[in-house]
Amino acid sequence: MKESLVLAPEPGSPPPVTIRLLDNVTFLRSLTMAGPFATNWFDTYGFRAHHGEVAKMPSEDGTLREVVVGQGRDGGDPSVMAHAARSLRSGLYQLDTQGFSPEFLESAVLFWAMECYRFDRYKVPDRRSLPWQPPRLVIPEGVDTSFCLALCDAIRLVRDLVNTPAEDMGPAELADTALGLARLFDASVTVVEGDALLEQNYPLIHAVGRASSRAPRLIDLRWGEPDHPAVTLVGKGVCFDTGGLDIKPSSNMLLMKKDMGGAAHALGLASLIMRMRLPVRLRVLIGAADNAISGNALRPGDVIRSRKGPFVEIGNTDAEGRLVLADLLCAACEEPPRLLLDFATLTGAARVALGPDLPALFSNGDALADILVRAGRDTHDPLWRLPLWPGYRSMLDSPVADLTNSPDSGFAGAIAAALFLKEFVDPLVPWAHVDLFAWQPKSAPGHPRGGKAQTLRPAWEAIRALSENPEIFAES
């Protein structure tokens, strides 16, 4: 991704081709001032600056002189840069920045880079053609270059982890990813594996992963100075989810390599924080496991004691993610952070309610929820708040245990799952839970089909705000 961005043209190289973004009105105005060649060219090809239209203006000698990208009626949508990146050949380009804010330009650069992502690990190179080279964009002045490049790395990490098949992305590989980040950024990592999870009191993580030939793991990464405000990121790392004994149908199992998408997001966000050296004390907790089937698999009706103490009745073995998160959230609150964020591909109910593009947000504090929602809107990385409705708490009641992991009712599934998690969070800790999809089912501007990074930018803004004001979420 970041290979498609350059800081400046190399000395002696041809000048970059200019890209101009025009809405309908601005285009029509500029057309009256254009010469006859340009006017005739636009008329011949019917270009009218509709949203995402790309016009490649040639010089009279046939070389590319300028690229015009339509923004439609209203303008102001940086995603049109993805249309430009998709339609242009390799070469060097620069954006005409006149009239655009630094925030818009930053988003435009990121849409360009995100469109240039390729996952070709399992593609045999075609010897008959040259390797694909992305078009390259000069990062405009006024854009935070370091942040853009760091965010590109974080998004690529999330996408690569989610796109990798479960055969090559199991609990051990997730742990290796965390260890690689630790080496890169001088962090520390502790990994608790297999039956040691029982010895160190992570019984729910162990119960979910015990049936797999690949041992489950607790991954605990730490970075930062002790006197900085503490931030803990929690990620669901179910590397493949068969549904367990409550087995999924094949159509629902096909994408279950992405069920570790929450862990991928926690690691991606951690890489961004560490690369930017944000002044926080970071902790990342990941529960990595396969929800598999064998003779010792978790059974419906089993009762497992959680790390926090309450007993959980297993109403459905396919509601395993919340079990993993329960032990993680409890562990996170034992060293109370100033901010606790968890990421998980948790419920199909959230997708039914909000679709693949809008992650569901739950939070125990309005200040935290407000900054996440506002930042999501401002950075074109949206999420939508749903309530932790206390009236639905009774759905979790069990006749034989303290609570069940799967209510009998089919109503309010995402809320019920979030209420289950809330049972394991210290109410004094500012907490947000993001129920995301981590997948792009159909290609869209800046988002090729496959693994998708969601809510990294709003989460970054919340953590950055905390680094500047450690009391910002104290009301939660």
Side-chain angles (χ1 to χ4, degrees):
M1 285 175 52
K2 69 180 184 182
E3 295 79 9
S4 67
L5 303 176
V6 298
L7 302 181
E10 295 180 3
S13 63
V17 175
T18 297
I19 299 174
R20 297 173 62 204
L21 307 183
L22 299 177
D23 58 37
N24 293 147
V25 174
T26 306
F27 169 71
L28 292 175
R29 288 174 182 167
S30 64
L31 197 60
T32 62
M33 297 181 287
F37 178 85
T39 302
N40 292 336
W41 192 90
F42 284 125
D43 285 341
T44 298
Y45 288 93
F47 179 86
R48 287 297 178 268
H50 298 310
H51 186 276
E53 273 192 307
V54 178
K56 304 170 188 175
M57 280 287 300
S59 302
E60 295 187 7
D61 63 0
T63 59
L64 184 60
R65 182 180 78 185
E66 185 178 77
V67 178
V68 182
V69 182
Q71 288 197 294
R73 179 179 299 177
D74 300 322
D77 183 357
S79 72
V80 296
M81 283 295 285
H83 291 277
R86 183 186 306 171
S87 64
L88 294 173
R89 299 176 59 186
S90 59
L92 188 61
Y93 302 86
Q94 65 182 5
L95 185 60
D96 181 356
T97 62
Q98 186 173 359
F100 296 112
S101 68
E103 294 77 17
F104 176 91
L105 294 174
E106 179 182 280
S107 293
V109 168
L110 287 168
F111 270 107
W112 172 283
M114 290 191 297
E115 183 63 33
C116 292
Y117 171 83
R118 296 290 186 276
F119 183 73
D120 54 8
R121 175 175 173 177
Y122 301 96
K123 295 279 190 181
V124 177
D126 187 347
R127 297 179 180 179
R128 297 169 296 180
S129 58
L130 295 174
W132 178 77
Q133 295 291 332
R136 295 177 301 148
L137 180 71
V138 178
I139 299 176
E141 291 185 10
V143 171
D144 187 337
T145 299
S146 297
F147 176 73
C148 277
L149 296 178
L151 183 55
C152 284
D153 281 337
I155 293 171
R156 175 184 282 280
L157 177 60
V158 174
R159 289 179 174 182
D160 284 351
L161 291 174
V162 174
N163 281 329
T164 302
E167 177 73 11
D168 295 325
M169 185 50 61
E173 287 77 15
L174 270 183
D176 286 344
T177 301
L179 289 165
L181 289 176
R183 286 191 293 270
L184 187 61
F185 297 111
D186 195 24
S188 65
V189 174
T190 301
V191 179
V192 183
E193 180 179 343
D195 290 343
L197 290 166
L198 293 176
E199 298 168 7
Q200 298 195 32
N201 194 23
Y202 294 98
L204 291 175
I205 298 174
H206 180 271
V208 170
R210 71 192 186 197
S212 174
S213 60
R214 307 191 294 189
R217 286 162 171 79
L218 179 284
I219 303 163
D220 188 346
L221 180 148
R222 296 169 185 262
W223 173 88
E225 299 298 328
D227 57 340
H228 288 159
V231 174
T232 298
L233 309 179
V234 167
K236 171 190 170 185
V238 176
C239 297
F240 195 81
D241 181 16
T242 66
L245 292 177
D246 289 309
I247 192 169
K248 296 175 181 288
S250 59
S251 58
N252 290 357
M253 210 185 297
L254 187 61
L255 286 181
M256 282 302 99
K257 69 176 184 178
K258 76 172 187 64
D259 212 23
M260 39 61 68
H265 279 75
L267 291 170
L269 183 55
S271 77
L272 177 61
I273 291 168
M274 293 187 289
R275 195 176 299 275
M276 293 300 296
R277 303 202 62 79
L278 199 64
V280 296
R281 177 159 48 92
L282 178 66
R283 187 182 187 191
V284 180
L285 286 167
I286 290 170
D290 290 327
N291 188 20
I293 297 173
S294 72
N296 68 335
L298 191 63
R299 294 170 291 266
D302 282 352
V303 176
I304 309 293
R305 186 167 188 165
S306 67
R307 179 182 181 86
K308 188 175 181 181
F311 286 92
V312 180
E313 181 188 14
I314 307 304
N316 191 309
T317 62
D318 197 21
E320 86 298 332
R322 66 200 69 180
L323 300 175
V324 171
L325 290 174
D327 275 355
L328 296 174
L329 292 169
C330 176
C333 292
E334 290 166 3
E335 299 178 20
R338 298 281 186 132
L339 175 60
L340 172 58
L341 301 176
D342 81 71
F343 303 89
T345 52
L346 201 62
T347 68
R351 307 288 69 78
V352 171
L354 300 175
D357 294 345
L358 277 177
L361 167 68
F362 299 87
S363 181
N364 61 4
D366 292 339
L368 174 55
D370 288 348
I371 195 171
L372 287 167
V373 171
R374 183 172 62 254
R377 182 178 60 248
D378 293 345
T379 61
H380 307 274
D381 193 2
L383 65 172
W384 197 268
R385 190 181 187 186
L386 295 180
L388 289 163
W389 186 250
Y392 294 156
R393 170 58 183 82
S394 61
M395 291 181 176
L396 303 178
D397 290 344
S398 163
V400 299
D402 294 304
L403 69 167
T404 176
N405 76 324
S406 181
D408 293 334
S409 170
F411 295 131
I415 297 175
L419 288 171
F420 180 90
L421 300 182
K422 184 173 181 285
E423 294 290 309
F424 300 90
V425 176
D426 183 335
L428 298 180
V429 172
W431 164 63
H433 158 58
V434 181
D435 187 339
L436 42 73
F437 195 43
W439 191 260
Q440 183 69 31
K442 184 179 180 181
S443 292
H447 301 288
R449 183 184 183 277
K452 183 176 183 179
Q454 299 178 291
T455 72
L456 290 186
R457 296 183 75 187
W460 161 265
E461 290 300 328
I463 297 168
R464 185 184 61 80
L466 178 75
S467 72
E468 297 174 353
N469 177 12
E471 303 300 324
I472 190 170
F473 304 127
E475 70 168 67
S476 298

